[in-house]
PDB file of all heavy atoms in Angstrom:
ATOM      1  N   PRO A 201      24.550 -50.717 -98.250  1.00  0.00           N
ATOM      2  CA  PRO A 201      24.264 -50.689 -99.752  1.00  0.00           C
ATOM      3  C   PRO A 201      22.855 -51.387 -99.883  1.00  0.00           C
ATOM      4  O   PRO A 201      22.391 -52.269 -99.208  1.00  0.00           O
ATOM      5  CB  PRO A 201      25.360 -51.526-100.383  1.00  0.00           C
ATOM      6  CG  PRO A 201      25.904 -52.362 -99.297  1.00  0.00           C
ATOM      7  CD  PRO A 201      25.774 -51.750 -98.013  1.00  0.00           C
ATOM      8  N   SER A 226      29.039 -55.136 -96.234  1.00  0.00           N
ATOM      9  CA  SER A 226      29.848 -54.835 -97.406  1.00  0.00           C
ATOM     10  C   SER A 226      30.127 -56.119 -98.361  1.00  0.00           C
ATOM     11  O   SER A 226      30.802 -55.923 -99.345  1.00  0.00           O
ATOM     12  CB  SER A 226      31.215 -54.136 -97.117  1.00  0.00           C
ATOM     13  OG  SER A 226      31.058 -52.800 -96.654  1.00  0.00           O
ATOM     14  N   HIS A 228      27.681 -57.197 -99.695  1.00  0.00           N
ATOM     15  CA  HIS A 228      26.522 -56.932-100.694  1.00  0.00           C
ATOM     16  C   HIS A 228      27.071 -56.708-102.035  1.00  0.00           C
ATOM     17  O   HIS A 228      28.098 -55.863-102.272  1.00  0.00           O
ATOM     18  CB  HIS A 228      25.613 -55.883-100.286  1.00  0.00           C
ATOM     19  CG  HIS A 228      24.332 -55.620-100.964  1.00  0.00           C
ATOM     20  ND1 HIS A 228      24.354 -54.998-102.172  1.00  0.00           N
ATOM     21  CD2 HIS A 228      23.024 -55.982-100.577  1.00  0.00           C
ATOM     22  CE1 HIS A 228      22.982 -54.994-102.520  1.00  0.00           C
ATOM     23  NE2 HIS A 228      22.229 -55.578-101.617  1.00  0.00           N
ATOM     24  N   PRO A 229      26.470 -57.091-103.186  1.00  0.00           N
ATOM     25  CA  PRO A 229      26.988 -56.915-104.507  1.00  0.00           C
ATOM     26  C   PRO A 229      27.211 -55.347-104.803  1.00  0.00           C
ATOM     27  O   PRO A 229      28.104 -54.985-105.589  1.00  0.00           O
ATOM     28  CB  PRO A 229      25.953 -57.454-105.306  1.00  0.00           C
ATOM     29  CG  PRO A 229      25.333 -58.445-104.510  1.00  0.00           C
ATOM     30  CD  PRO A 229      25.251 -57.922-103.190  1.00  0.00           C
ATOM     31  N   ASP A 230      26.320 -54.530-104.308  1.00  0.00           N
ATOM     32  CA  ASP A 230      26.456 -53.081-104.539  1.00  0.00           C
ATOM     33  C   ASP A 230      27.275 -52.245-103.678  1.00  0.00           C
ATOM     34  O   ASP A 230      27.382 -51.007-103.746  1.00  0.00           O
ATOM     35  CB  ASP A 230      25.017 -52.505-104.446  1.00  0.00           C
ATOM     36  CG  ASP A 230      24.155 -52.977-105.618  1.00  0.00           C
ATOM     37  OD1 ASP A 230      24.694 -53.419-106.721  1.00  0.00           O
ATOM     38  OD2 ASP A 230      22.909 -52.996-105.420  1.00  0.00           O
ATOM     39  N   ALA A 231      28.038 -52.986-102.779  1.00  0.00           N
ATOM     40  CA  ALA A 231      28.800 -52.336-101.678  1.00  0.00           C
ATOM     41  C   ALA A 231      29.788 -51.294-102.205  1.00  0.00           C
ATOM     42  O   ALA A 231      29.986 -50.196-101.819  1.00  0.00           O
ATOM     43  CB  ALA A 231      29.632 -53.374-100.820  1.00  0.00           C
ATOM     44  N   GLU A 232      30.633 -51.764-103.298  1.00  0.00           N
ATOM     45  CA  GLU A 232      31.664 -50.875-103.823  1.00  0.00           C
ATOM     46  C   GLU A 232      31.065 -49.596-104.395  1.00  0.00           C
ATOM     47  O   GLU A 232      31.477 -48.560-104.252  1.00  0.00           O
ATOM     48  CB  GLU A 232      32.492 -51.709-104.905  1.00  0.00           C
ATOM     49  CG  GLU A 232      33.731 -50.826-105.508  1.00  0.00           C
ATOM     50  CD  GLU A 232      34.594 -51.598-106.311  1.00  0.00           C
ATOM     51  OE1 GLU A 232      34.315 -52.826-106.632  1.00  0.00           O
ATOM     52  OE2 GLU A 232      35.472 -51.093-106.921  1.00  0.00           O
ATOM     53  N   LEU A 233      29.984 -49.834-105.323  1.00  0.00           N
ATOM     54  CA  LEU A 233      29.248 -48.648-105.881  1.00  0.00           C
ATOM     55  C   LEU A 233      28.682 -47.754-104.825  1.00  0.00           C
ATOM     56  O   LEU A 233      28.907 -46.554-104.855  1.00  0.00           O
ATOM     57  CB  LEU A 233      28.103 -49.209-106.716  1.00  0.00           C
ATOM     58  CG  LEU A 233      27.212 -48.108-107.329  1.00  0.00           C
ATOM     59  CD1 LEU A 233      28.068 -47.245-108.179  1.00  0.00           C
ATOM     60  CD2 LEU A 233      26.117 -48.766-108.045  1.00  0.00           C
ATOM     61  N   PHE A 234      28.168 -48.341-103.762  1.00  0.00           N
ATOM     62  CA  PHE A 234      27.602 -47.480-102.643  1.00  0.00           C
ATOM     63  C   PHE A 234      28.695 -46.702-101.912  1.00  0.00           C
ATOM     64  O   PHE A 234      28.535 -45.527-101.639  1.00  0.00           O
ATOM     65  CB  PHE A 234      26.882 -48.292-101.741  1.00  0.00           C
ATOM     66  CG  PHE A 234      26.308 -47.539-100.464  1.00  0.00           C
ATOM     67  CD1 PHE A 234      25.021 -46.841-100.637  1.00  0.00           C
ATOM     68  CD2 PHE A 234      26.869 -47.504 -99.328  1.00  0.00           C
ATOM     69  CE1 PHE A 234      24.523 -46.144 -99.588  1.00  0.00           C
ATOM     70  CE2 PHE A 234      26.393 -46.792 -98.369  1.00  0.00           C
ATOM     71  CZ  PHE A 234      25.143 -46.130 -98.378  1.00  0.00           C
ATOM     72  N   THR A 235      29.854 -47.421-101.687  1.00  0.00           N
ATOM     73  CA  THR A 235      30.936 -46.678-101.030  1.00  0.00           C
ATOM     74  C   THR A 235      31.451 -45.561-101.803  1.00  0.00           C
ATOM     75  O   THR A 235      31.733 -44.463-101.280  1.00  0.00           O
ATOM     76  CB  THR A 235      32.063 -47.631-100.726  1.00  0.00           C
ATOM     77  OG1 THR A 235      31.595 -48.792 -99.981  1.00  0.00           O
ATOM     78  CG2 THR A 235      33.219 -47.050 -99.924  1.00  0.00           C
ATOM     79  N   ASN A 236      31.526 -45.672-103.034  1.00  0.00           N
ATOM     80  CA  ASN A 236      31.971 -44.657-104.039  1.00  0.00           C
ATOM     81  C   ASN A 236      30.909 -43.551-104.052  1.00  0.00           C
ATOM     82  O   ASN A 236      31.361 -42.261-104.106  1.00  0.00           O
ATOM     83  CB  ASN A 236      32.151 -45.207-105.439  1.00  0.00           C
ATOM     84  CG  ASN A 236      33.427 -46.147-105.548  1.00  0.00           C
ATOM     85  OD1 ASN A 236      34.360 -45.973-104.692  1.00  0.00           O
ATOM     86  ND2 ASN A 236      33.503 -46.985-106.501  1.00  0.00           N
ATOM     87  N   GLN A 237      29.693 -43.845-104.038  1.00  0.00           N
ATOM     88  CA  GLN A 237      28.554 -42.802-104.096  1.00  0.00           C
ATOM     89  C   GLN A 237      28.857 -41.922-102.659  1.00  0.00           C
ATOM     90  O   GLN A 237      28.690 -40.803-102.739  1.00  0.00           O
ATOM     91  CB  GLN A 237      27.277 -43.376-104.074  1.00  0.00           C
ATOM     92  CG  GLN A 237      26.908 -43.975-105.519  1.00  0.00           C
ATOM     93  CD  GLN A 237      25.570 -44.741-105.437  1.00  0.00           C
ATOM     94  OE1 GLN A 237      25.161 -45.271-104.499  1.00  0.00           O
ATOM     95  NE2 GLN A 237      24.756 -44.595-106.538  1.00  0.00           N
ATOM     96  N   ASN A 255      34.650 -50.069 -94.448  1.00  0.00           N
ATOM     97  CA  ASN A 255      33.695 -51.206 -94.910  1.00  0.00           C
ATOM     98  C   ASN A 255      33.825 -52.316 -93.913  1.00  0.00           C
ATOM     99  O   ASN A 255      34.942 -52.782 -93.467  1.00  0.00           O
ATOM    100  CB  ASN A 255      34.162 -51.625 -96.181  1.00  0.00           C
ATOM    101  CG  ASN A 255      33.849 -50.586 -97.248  1.00  0.00           C
ATOM    102  OD1 ASN A 255      34.736 -49.582 -97.558  1.00  0.00           O
ATOM    103  ND2 ASN A 255      32.721 -50.684 -97.886  1.00  0.00           N
TER     104      ASN A 255
END
Side-chain angles (χ1 to χ4, degrees):
S226 285
H228 190 283
D230 294 333
E232 185 176 354
L233 173 63
F234 179 79
T235 303
N236 289 334
Q237 288 176 328
N255 290 86

